[in-house]
Amino acid sequence: MEERKKTIRKHTDLDVYKFSFASAMRLFELSRKFPLEERYSLTDQCRRSSRSVAANIAEAWRKRRYPAAFVAKLSDSEAEAAETQTWLQFAVECKYVDADVARELYCEYDKIIGMLVNMIKKPDSWRLKPDKKRKPKTTESPNTENE
């Protein structure tokens, strides 16, 4: 039996958004244990890049009328996810995060990247189609008097 697709009305309905938001929150909790001297470097970078993944997905969703803009924002999100993975590697090397915990989170970002790539490959399936029920706008002003 074919699985019915649920209607996605807003970016918060997207699985990739939900997953990226949850992963960013998980990284936030881990980063709370980073040393104070990392506040303006590694801690800040981890938080910014991980949050940017979800934020760029939200922006992409609102730009889905325009495939090029939609793909550009999804690509930004993909890049931020990869950047987050890099900061995770630094956190492990600096011994701020347990390697097993980081590996699990790294894999979550691999999954997010895969979901984003799938969306990028088929932007038209996400595109907001024009409403055919609406009447086209006219250039004539409604207040125009007969001359």
Side-chain angles (χ1 to χ4, degrees), residues 52-53 55-61 63 67-79 116 120:
S52 188
V53 177
N56 279 301
I57 292 167
E59 287 187 58
W61 184 250
K63 293 184 176 191
F70 178 69
V71 168
K73 293 313 292 183
L74 291 176
S75 295
D76 289 346
S77 186
E78 179 188 355
L116 291 167
I120 289 166

Side-chain angles (χ1 to χ4, degrees), residues 15-129:
D15 288 340
V16 68
Y17 176 84
K18 292 175 189 174
F19 200 53
S20 64
F21 191 92
S23 297
M25 290 307 298
R26 186 165 176 214
L27 185 53
F28 168 76
E29 289 301 326
L30 288 173
S31 71
R32 293 177 80 177
K33 297 175 182 150
F34 290 2
L36 199 55
E37 67 264 16
E38 290 286 4
R39 178 185 301 167
Y40 299 110
S41 52
L42 187 59
T43 305
D44 188 51
Q45 291 290 5
C46 284
R47 290 176 181 179
R48 283 175 186 261
S49 65
S50 65
R51 290 170 178 170
S52 188
V53 177
N56 279 301
I57 292 167
E59 287 187 58
W61 184 250
R62 298 312 311 165
K63 293 184 176 191
R64 68 193 185 282
R65 282 179 184 85
Y66 315 102
F70 178 69
V71 168
K73 293 313 292 183
L74 291 176
S75 295
D76 289 346
S77 186
E78 179 188 355
E80 293 290 343
E83 180 181 340
T84 301
Q85 289 177 315
T86 301
W87 296 126
L88 266 171
Q89 288 177 289
F90 277 108
V92 169
E93 289 299 312
C94 294
K95 306 216 183 320
Y96 302 150
V97 177
D98 177 72
D100 291 334
V101 172
R103 190 175 300 110
E104 194 175 299
L105 195 51
Y106 193 98
C107 288
E108 287 180 22
Y109 278 97
D110 272 342
K111 183 176 178 181
I112 291 165
I113 290 169
M115 294 167 86
L116 291 167
V117 168
N118 285 333
M119 291 174 79
I120 289 166
K121 283 179 173 178
K122 297 178 183 177
D124 287 337
S125 64
W126 297 96
R127 189 170 181 198
L128 183 61
K129 311 291 190 283

